[in-house]
Amino acid sequence: MDRFRIDSHKLVFHAERVNEWLKGRLVCPIYLEIAPSGGCNHRCIFCAVDYLKYKPIFINSGILIKRIKEASRLGVKSIMYAGEGEPLLHKDIAKIIKETKGAGIDVSITTNGVLLNKDISEGILKYLSWIRISLNAGTPLTYSRVHRCHKEDLQRVLNNLKEAAYIKKRSGLKTTIGVQFLLIPQNAQEVVLLAKKVKNIGLDYFIVKPYSQHPFSSSRIDKRFKYEDYFGLEEDLRKMENEDFQIIFRDHAMMRLAVAKEYRNCLGAPFWAYIDAKGDVYACSAFLGKKTFCFGNIYEDNFKTTMNGNRRKIVIKMISEKLNVGKCRQACRLDKINSYLWQLKHPGPHVNFI
């Protein structure tokens, strides 16, 4: 069982907020994803946001921290720092993470791990619920080709992870440290190899997830590549599991890529929001740069005004009523949430026979 529910959703644990939504009220997001940086030190061949051109823009930490405190008072419960760039490129990232936790918000980060040196780990691990490393090859040559970076970066990341695992153990931290591997034709033969390395380092989990085509990205994978041909990898990976190390093979997400969505509308937008490196606030991360999906900016308004404003109502209404989900990204971040909310709105017959 995936105890982290990575291939599922957690909206079932927020029944009160869901109930408010069912009553037709505009609810505050439970979760935010924030991009501290628009730039990145890698150019991964699968990058979904390559169309944004990796601009070296950094969010103002003072304004951001102020908005985070406002968000906490309004009811935001968690924030992940990731986004269209590499979050560790932001010079104030340790301070931002510390202040986020200090505001009473659970905080996490997704990074390629190249800059996760000892000082950074010492400064942030104690505040994080989890840290996830995007690591997509098991050998230096394949890593350099997939991440489009120096071959030496792979060993640098592995060394950084070893140091982070040591700091966690030494300090008795509960922070979960894991690796996420995006399975594509160029790295499919190195999944097991990397999983072994990750386990030996002493990390908590290893995720294998599918590639999902972004509507605006120029990245592509060979259409002949079929995920069902690789389901056998799960059995080999499961042999490595123990009480300290979990394999999360996202076969449900892989299968979702090939089937039509059972929901007709995107209903999950009220429960999350995305803030890009320019401070723009979006209802959907699949449409970054598209102003029709943007409903505010942290430099222009406080968090309460942005979240309760008429512009957000208009954007969410547009998404829930007019967006063609059949042409949206498959297996997107809100996919499982949308299925759940659609069932609540359209329960079907015999629901009282529990």
Side-chain angles (χ1 to χ4, degrees), residues 163-351:
E163 185 67 48
Y166 169 75
I167 291 170
K168 172 185 173 176
K169 184 176 181 180
R170 181 200 67 200
S171 304
L173 303 177
K174 295 182 179 180
T175 308
T176 303
I177 307 175
V179 159
Q180 180 168 273
F181 185 102
L182 192 145
L183 182 62
I184 53 176
Q186 291 88 337
N187 62 15
Q189 302 307 313
E190 298 186 4
V191 180
V192 175
L193 172 63
L194 182 61
K196 289 178 179 177
K197 291 183 178 182
V198 167
K199 180 180 179 181
N200 289 337
I201 286 171
L203 303 193
D204 298 296
Y205 64 75
F206 181 77
I207 302 171
V208 180
K209 67 173 287 188
Y211 170 88
S212 173
Q213 179 62 52
H214 191 287
F216 308 123
S217 172
S218 61
S219 70
R220 296 288 187 276
I221 64 170
D222 192 332
K223 292 183 178 180
R224 295 171 295 180
F225 185 75
K226 304 297 182 185
Y227 280 103
E228 54 265 32
D229 295 338
Y230 292 86
F231 284 174
L233 283 171
E234 183 175 9
E235 184 176 349
D236 293 332
L237 292 168
R238 292 283 175 212
K239 295 174 183 177
M240 302 181 205
E241 280 192 308
N242 56 37
E243 60 181 14
D244 298 317
F245 181 69
Q246 183 174 3
I247 295 294
I248 302 165
F249 193 86
R250 298 192 60 186
D251 52 348
H252 292 294
M254 295 175 188
M255 290 185 287
R256 293 285 293 177
L257 294 173
V259 299
K261 299 178 175 75
E262 67 272 18
Y263 50 89
R264 298 178 186 173
N265 303 102
C266 180
L267 304 175
F271 297 95
W272 92 305
Y274 181 102
I275 302 175
D276 73 7
K278 300 188 298 294
D280 286 331
V281 188
Y282 286 86
C284 178
S285 63
F287 294 93
L288 300 181
K290 308 300 178 182
K291 291 301 181 182
T292 51
F293 291 83
C294 177
F295 57 83
N297 184 283
I298 67 168
Y299 300 121
E300 297 173 2
D301 289 301
N302 62 44
F303 197 79
K304 184 175 182 179
T305 299
T306 299
M307 290 299 155
N308 294 339
N310 192 53
R311 177 62 187 164
R312 181 171 180 241
K313 295 176 184 177
I314 292 171
V315 171
I316 288 177
K317 181 177 175 65
M318 178 271 293
I319 290 173
S320 65
E321 295 180 1
K322 297 181 180 180
L323 186 65
N324 185 347
V325 297
K327 294 183 178 181
C328 272
R329 191 176 186 181
Q330 288 291 99
C332 76
R333 192 179 297 277
L334 294 179
D335 185 54
K336 289 294 183 75
I337 289 175
N338 279 329
S339 295
Y340 171 65
L341 295 175
W342 181 263
Q343 290 179 63
L344 290 180
K345 286 278 192 177
H346 306 84
H350 311 314
V351 295

Side-chain angles (χ1 to χ4, degrees), residues 101-115:
K101 185 63 177 178
I105 294 177
D106 292 338
V107 56
S108 65
I109 189 169
T110 296
T111 168
N112 60 39
V114 174
L115 301 176

Side-chain angles (χ1 to χ4, degrees), residues 14-226:
H14 302 279
E16 184 177 340
R17 192 104 28 129
V18 173
N19 189 48
E20 292 294 302
W21 172 80
L22 284 169
K23 293 176 182 177
R25 296 170 184 165
L26 184 65
V27 297
C28 173
I30 296 167
Y31 162 79
L32 300 179
E33 184 172 329
I34 299 177
S37 166
C40 191
N41 50 350
H42 283 182
R43 295 292 185 270
C44 300
I45 61 175
F46 55 79
C47 183
V49 291
D50 53 2
Y51 70 98
L52 295 174
K53 307 300 184 184
Y54 311 105
K55 296 175 182 177
I57 302 168
F58 299 93
I59 204 162
N60 182 286
S61 56
I63 294 295
L64 177 60
I65 290 167
K66 184 177 181 180
R67 297 293 175 252
I68 287 168
K69 292 176 180 178
E70 295 167 354
S72 177
R73 292 192 290 269
L74 207 61
V76 169
K77 295 182 179 296
S78 65
I79 291 175
M80 179 178 74
Y81 291 105
E84 69 266 25
E86 167 52 49
L88 294 184
L89 284 171
H90 198 295
K91 64 181 179 63
D92 292 332
I93 190 62
K95 178 181 179 182
I96 290 170
I97 288 171
K98 178 181 178 181
E99 292 288 346
T100 303
K101 185 63 177 178
I105 294 177
D106 292 338
V107 56
S108 65
I109 189 169
T110 296
T111 168
N112 60 39
V114 174
L115 301 176
L116 187 69
N117 57 41
K118 180 181 178 182
D119 289 342
I120 290 291
S121 288
E122 291 278 12
I124 69 175
L125 286 180
K126 56 190 170 185
Y127 303 112
L128 295 172
S129 295
W130 54 264
I131 180 169
R132 186 175 302 155
I133 312 301
S134 177
L135 182 51
N136 303 285
T139 63
L141 181 58
T142 303
Y143 184 85
S144 68
R145 290 172 174 173
V146 171
H147 284 254
R148 288 195 286 199
C149 64
H150 299 297
K151 289 189 290 186
E152 294 78 16
D153 277 1
L154 174 59
Q155 192 57 52
R156 184 176 292 113
V157 173
L158 293 174
N159 290 343
N160 289 343
L161 286 173
K162 186 176 181 179
E163 185 67 48
Y166 169 75
I167 291 170
K168 172 185 173 176
K169 184 176 181 180
R170 181 200 67 200
S171 304
L173 303 177
K174 295 182 179 180
T175 308
T176 303
I177 307 175
V179 159
Q180 180 168 273
F181 185 102
L182 192 145
L183 182 62
I184 53 176
Q186 291 88 337
N187 62 15
Q189 302 307 313
E190 298 186 4
V191 180
V192 175
L193 172 63
L194 182 61
K196 289 178 179 177
K197 291 183 178 182
V198 167
K199 180 180 179 181
N200 289 337
I201 286 171
L203 303 193
D204 298 296
Y205 64 75
F206 181 77
I207 302 171
V208 180
K209 67 173 287 188
Y211 170 88
S212 173
Q213 179 62 52
H214 191 287
F216 308 123
S217 172
S218 61
S219 70
R220 296 288 187 276
I221 64 170
D222 192 332
K223 292 183 178 180
R224 295 171 295 180
F225 185 75
K226 304 297 182 185

